[in-house]
Amino acid sequence: MTTNEWPLWEVFVRSRRGLSHTHAGSLHAPDAELALRNARDLYTRRGEGVSIWVVPSAAVTASSPDEKDPFFEPAADKPYRHPTFYEIPEGVKHL
Amino acid sequence: MATAAAHHTARVPADGPADEAARTAAYEAVFDAAVAADERIEPRDWMPDAYRSTLVRQIAQHAHSEIIGMQPEANWITRAPSLRRKAILMAKVQDEAGHGLYLYSAAETLGTGRDELLDKLHTGRQKYSSIFNYPTLTWADVGAIGWLVDGAAITNQVPLCRCSYGPYARAMVRICKEESFHQRQGYELLLVLSRGTPEQHEMAQDAVNRWWWPSLMMFGPPDDESSHSAQSMAWKIKRHSNDELRQRFVDICVPQAESLGLTLPDPDLMWNEERGQHDFGAIDWAEFWEVLKGNGPCNEQRITQRRRAHDEGAWVREAAAAYADKRADRTEHAVGHADEHSDGTADENGKARA
Amino acid sequence: MTPTVNTAAALALGDDALVLSHRLGEWAGHAPVLEEEVALANIALDLLGQARVLLSMAGDEDELAYLREERAFRNLQLVEQPNGDFAHTIARQLYFSTYQRLLYAQLASGDGDFAPLAAKAVKEVAYHQDHAEQWTLRLGDGTDVSHERMRQASEALWRFTGEMFQPIEGVDIDWDGMRAAWLDSVGSILRRATLPLPEGPQSGAWTAGAGRQGLHTEPFGRMLAEMQHLHRSHPGASW
């Protein structure tokens, strides 16, 4: 088995202008330039993108599932952040 | 996301073995509830070791099948009889390489690198679909593979789009979308042959004769002999049994064969009014197990070519890695002198942000 | 087919694309890394698309591809050269894609028959050139082994490069300017890749000519035999 496996990169593709880049998948490449080109060949063969980001997978810091509750649950009980929380008299417009 | 994060399985420090067991049980309950509720399991979630290893085995086998599966069709790229067919076939074989890459990525989210998986393929410790151990002897075989082999694969794969493991399910969604042309091009190819000259018609019938039974074997052994099925279904990695999917495939193919003007090589194939399904003849499982064991017509050839491509490409992969290392060193030394870079790196990064 | 199209020119450009596409197609299942399977196939498909447009300007694409004899093909000898190792394929790509990009850029800026095709193709070819350059850099400036292989490949194919600048009748561009630009571009990449600019002659000694005159190298006949065999075995059949 070779020990110098090319590093892994995460690929983000903007499918069209006006939308943000979304995660498309990952791939191996020796460096950023080839990662970008490999991503172009692999993830936009059918015209799926107008712009690509590649990020070394090792550079991604992710939240841990253990922290799921402290991270995300507190946000779930603040309904006043959502417009549907408020009652507006019928007929009031542009609000 | 395929990151090293997968190595970090959620583990909370425990004071003793009893606590550890209690925690595992608690995690397992969360996992089981998620699967039961049809939620997706994601890479950093806790999962039973057996779930992880089953997935790695299945996804790797699937990826290997895509990569080995390039060979029988690539066998005809240089001989495709029209430029239109040549373009279609090249695009299809290319898709298979792409699908292999999507799947290796999905497997990597479980903490197993692609090199390790390829090594297992090259040394026979992991399998690929046995169907690719049959040879493509005529041009019509390209059509038969598209219609029957890809047809069987799609029947298998569509339910996998709802597989409980998120990265695998997402890879399958992409693959199924892209593969919709694969089966159609095969069917169209056979249709043109079937309606062509008598020699072409005969070529098409011969190919269907040879590919029909191996295609039925693609669904795996009968349910009562399938070793992994029950657990995989409980985990929602698998959604339907082998026999169920096989029956579905037969029922789909019969009218398609009629429209093609070709005969499926099974004298026992007939509509069963009572069951509302087709009855079909007995599959030669002895052949299936023999091919699986390595005694198929092309087992040796396929794996030898794969290994050779990998070995002969080693110097190329090493060169690119060495170049990247040199560049990284130079960049480190050049910190503070970014203007002096003439190689356009900054420019390209800028474009990536466009 | 418009009567103004220069058939000989369409054949020369179309055959270049067809033959190189075929050679790249031979890589399928043999590439050094899976990502390159996808990359090489992309390039092959672009070239095949160009070939089909160009051959259709000269007649029926399949008749031209499958029923002409070796001596009737007008492609450069460079593109018919066997793949060799990955370094040979990359050297061939570097030489040809640089040429094709310069050629199509000039055609695209004109108003001749080839302008619409060239305008589309020049974008594809720019990517092919970039791919070849990226790999020339990595192989040339990678390991000792890759450096040596790339050096050998760039030298072995050098003698097929002179033919590219032989004017094609009906292709109205500045050939001398193109030769200078080509040398400039290829020379600069080889230099960055720490490779020497090959010193030998850029063409063979045979005064009869080369690919543009229908004179090819021995491997080309075998390539055509494989490519045309099935089509020719079923005269008049549709596929």
Side-chain angles (χ1 to χ4, degrees):
Chain A
M1 202 187 308
T2 44
T3 47
N4 57 349
E5 185 170 20
W6 290 353
L8 199 61
W9 301 75
E10 298 303 325
V11 179
F12 298 82
V13 176
R14 184 201 294 288
S15 56
R16 57 188 164 83
R17 302 186 73 81
L19 297 181
S20 48
H21 288 75
T22 48
H23 187 239
S26 61
L27 51 74
H28 288 271
D31 53 42
E33 284 117 313
L34 281 197
L36 208 47
R37 286 160 180 80
N38 290 347
R40 177 259 194 195
D41 285 334
L42 184 58
Y43 288 104
T44 65
R45 292 201 298 293
R46 287 169 167 78
E48 296 96 329
V50 296
S51 163
I52 299 173
W53 289 347
V54 290
V55 179
S57 302
V60 174
T61 308
S63 63
S64 149
D66 289 348
E67 294 153 357
K68 195 170 118 195
D69 293 353
F71 258 59
F72 304 115
E73 262 187 29
D77 72 345
K78 296 181 179 60
Y80 44 82
R81 286 193 195 276
H82 301 277
T84 47
F85 182 72
Y86 303 94
E87 266 180 53
I88 302 294
E90 235 172 274
V92 176
K93 288 178 180 166
H94 306 298
L95 199 66
Chain B
M1 198 171 284
T3 68
H7 298 293
H8 165 102
T9 316
R11 287 270 184 257
V12 177
D15 299 330
D19 286 356
E20 174 71 29
R23 280 202 192 280
T24 303
Y27 281 136
E28 194 142 21
V30 172
F31 171 86
D32 288 344
V35 171
D38 264 340
E39 274 184 36
R40 294 287 176 269
I41 305 301
E42 294 295 344
R44 285 168 61 100
D45 291 339
W46 184 92
M47 60 187 85
D49 290 343
Y51 177 83
R52 185 186 297 275
S53 61
T54 298
L55 274 171
V56 170
R57 185 173 44 77
Q58 182 175 333
I59 300 173
Q61 175 168 332
H62 197 160
H64 299 332
S65 301
E66 296 281 358
I67 300 307
I68 296 285
M70 295 170 71
Q71 291 184 30
E73 290 176 284
N75 184 34
W76 282 93
I77 287 179
T78 53
R79 293 177 286 173
S82 74
L83 297 186
R84 176 174 176 267
R85 291 286 172 204
K86 197 183 179 88
I88 293 168
L89 186 55
M90 240 189 304
K92 178 172 190 275
V93 173
Q94 181 197 38
D95 269 352
E96 281 149 16
H99 296 170
L101 287 170
Y102 301 156
L103 289 162
Y104 285 123
S105 293
E108 286 195 65
T109 63
L110 293 159
T112 313
R114 195 212 297 176
D115 268 11
E116 187 182 333
L117 298 176
L118 283 176
D119 191 57
K120 283 187 172 153
L121 169 67
H122 297 155
T123 52
R125 284 175 294 152
Q126 275 178 350
K127 303 252 177 244
Y128 54 88
S129 177
S130 260
I131 192 78
F132 301 118
N133 290 319
Y134 291 87
T136 46
L137 300 178
T138 73
W139 170 249
D141 290 29
V142 172
I145 287 186
W147 176 41
L148 295 175
V149 175
D150 290 330
I154 290 169
T155 308
N156 264 329
Q157 288 171 359
V158 167
L160 286 175
C161 296
R162 294 185 298 123
C163 160
S164 62
Y165 187 58
Y168 191 26
R170 289 191 286 278
M172 290 319 304
V173 168
R174 191 178 263 270
I175 289 171
C176 285
K177 212 162 81 187
E178 297 189 352
E179 279 203 348
S180 53
F181 101 79
H182 292 190
Q183 194 189 12
R184 289 179 81 110
Q185 66 82 33
Y187 191 82
E188 186 207 64
L189 191 164
L190 284 177
L191 189 64
V192 171
L193 292 182
S194 179
R195 294 179 179 173
T197 65
E199 291 80 11
Q200 285 178 308
H201 180 88
E202 196 186 328
M203 193 194 281
Q205 183 61 58
D206 169 60
V208 168
N209 290 349
R210 281 181 289 109
W211 288 94
W212 172 249
W213 289 108
S215 299
L216 293 190
M217 296 178 198
M218 283 176 71
F219 296 94
D223 293 346
D224 46 13
E225 289 171 38
S226 176
S227 49
H228 303 294
S229 282
Q231 180 62 75
S232 286
M233 285 182 64
W235 278 331
K236 296 189 183 170
I237 292 173
K238 210 176 151 122
R239 295 272 180 170
H240 306 279
S241 79
N242 295 353
D243 288 331
E244 241 175 274
L245 291 169
R246 188 167 13 244
Q247 180 70 54
R248 187 182 294 177
F249 178 67
V250 170
D251 291 335
I252 289 172
C253 284
V254 170
Q256 290 178 348
E258 267 167 40
S259 301
L260 276 177
L262 297 173
T263 312
L264 295 172
D266 179 359
D268 298 326
L269 185 65
M270 61 187 73
W271 179 251
N272 182 323
E273 194 64 53
E274 219 170 283
R275 290 202 303 128
Q277 291 171 327
H278 290 87
D279 290 335
F280 53 97
I283 293 171
D284 182 358
W285 292 109
E287 175 180 318
F288 174 79
W289 294 113
E290 275 302 306
V291 176
L292 196 69
K293 264 198 314 199
N295 297 326
C298 299
N299 298 57
E300 187 64 33
Q301 175 192 334
R302 299 284 185 246
I303 209 70
T304 302
Q305 180 182 325
R306 176 86 271 288
R307 223 184 278 146
R308 189 190 304 135
H310 188 76
D311 292 347
E312 287 178 358
W315 69 273
V316 176
R317 299 191 299 275
E318 282 158 17
Y323 177 83
D325 286 348
K326 284 188 203 175
R327 284 278 305 267
D329 285 351
R330 279 173 219 164
T331 310
E332 238 166 64
H333 292 134
V335 168
H337 304 279
D339 315 345
E340 287 167 22
H341 264 257
S342 58
D343 54 25
T345 311
D347 204 8
E348 272 145 8
N349 288 343
K351 273 183 219 151
R353 271 181 219 114
Chain C
M1 186 165 104
T2 58
T4 55
V5 168
N6 186 308
T7 303
L11 282 182
L13 303 181
D15 287 348
D16 279 352
L18 174 68
V19 171
L20 186 57
S21 165
H22 183 94
R23 284 297 190 203
L24 290 172
E26 292 174 354
W27 271 105
H30 300 272
V33 64
L34 293 174
E35 281 81 359
E36 274 308 296
E37 293 280 0
V38 184
L40 292 170
N42 262 350
I43 297 171
L45 283 168
D46 285 344
L47 289 167
L48 186 51
Q50 294 166 16
R52 294 181 66 188
V53 173
L54 286 160
L55 293 183
S56 298
M57 291 168 90
D60 178 86
E61 59 175 37
D62 285 337
E63 272 178 36
L64 288 167
Y66 291 98
L67 299 177
R68 271 183 301 160
E69 297 292 319
E70 178 179 339
R71 293 279 279 108
F73 276 81
R74 289 290 177 267
N75 56 283
L76 298 163
Q77 290 183 350
L78 175 68
V79 295
E80 75 201 29
Q81 293 311 302
N83 287 337
D85 65 4
F86 191 64
H88 279 77
T89 289
I90 290 300
R92 193 182 60 197
Q93 284 303 113
L94 177 70
Y95 294 163
F96 183 73
S97 62
T98 305
Y99 160 78
Q100 215 189 7
R101 184 181 187 176
L102 293 166
L103 178 71
Y104 281 164
Q106 287 204 50
L107 288 174
S109 66
D111 55 1
D113 298 318
F114 298 116
L117 164 90
K120 175 174 181 285
V122 76
K123 291 179 206 152
E124 298 168 349
V125 175
Y127 191 80
H128 306 175
Q129 185 185 6
D130 173 75
H131 174 266
E133 290 183 353
Q134 294 294 333
W135 275 110
T136 301
L137 291 173
R138 280 160 184 78
L139 298 183
D141 194 14
T143 62
D144 291 347
V145 172
S146 70
H147 177 86
E148 184 52 24
R149 282 178 182 252
M150 195 62 214
R151 187 190 62 75
Q152 281 178 15
S154 57
E155 283 173 10
L157 293 172
W158 189 250
R159 69 190 187 85
F160 298 106
T161 55
E163 192 193 355
M164 296 191 291
F165 309 104
Q166 190 186 110
I168 301 169
E169 200 198 317
V171 176
D172 186 24
I173 59 166
D174 170 12
W175 291 93
D176 288 336
M178 192 167 84
R179 179 194 277 267
W182 183 89
L183 205 56
D184 203 40
S185 175
V186 168
S188 120
I189 285 296
L190 291 177
R191 198 165 44 248
R192 281 177 57 200
T194 72
L195 292 162
L197 191 70
E199 284 174 352
Q202 277 185 277
S203 52
W206 199 8
T207 47
R212 295 283 190 241
Q213 283 72 47
L215 293 163
H216 296 280
T217 54
E218 286 183 351
F220 186 54
R222 289 194 297 276
M223 191 203 104
L224 284 187
E226 182 174 340
M227 182 173 105
Q228 297 181 335
H229 160 261
L230 175 61
H231 184 98
R232 285 181 179 240
S233 300
H234 299 262
S238 303
W239 301 95

